[in-house]
Amino acid sequence: MIDPFDVTLEDGDLMGEVELTTNLIVAASESDDRLSRDEIDRLLGVVPIPRQR
């Protein structure tokens, strides 16, 4: 008999967000000063958009 309550709950997006948050917390705790925006962007994998002239 199949148990309808025996399910795997997994949210890939949530796990990714938890990993990013954890990386920020670790980096901030290891830093002697505040993290710059550039450092935060690098940790989050943000790619800057080139400015258009």
Side-chain angles (χ1 to χ4, degrees):
M1 184 170 161
I2 298 174
D3 183 358
F5 297 108
D6 184 20
V7 296
T8 301
L9 298 177
E10 186 174 315
D11 185 336
D13 291 337
L14 177 60
M15 293 302 294
E17 289 179 19
V18 169
E19 181 179 359
L20 291 174
T21 303
T22 302
N23 290 343
L24 283 174
I25 292 169
V26 169
S29 68
E30 292 178 347
S31 178
D32 292 331
D33 203 4
R34 291 184 177 200
L35 296 175
S36 70
R37 286 187 182 202
D38 289 337
E39 290 171 310
I40 293 170
D41 286 350
R42 183 183 53 78
L43 288 165
L44 295 176
V46 174
V47 178
I49 299 172
R51 288 185 175 182
Q52 295 180 356
R53 295 182 188 241

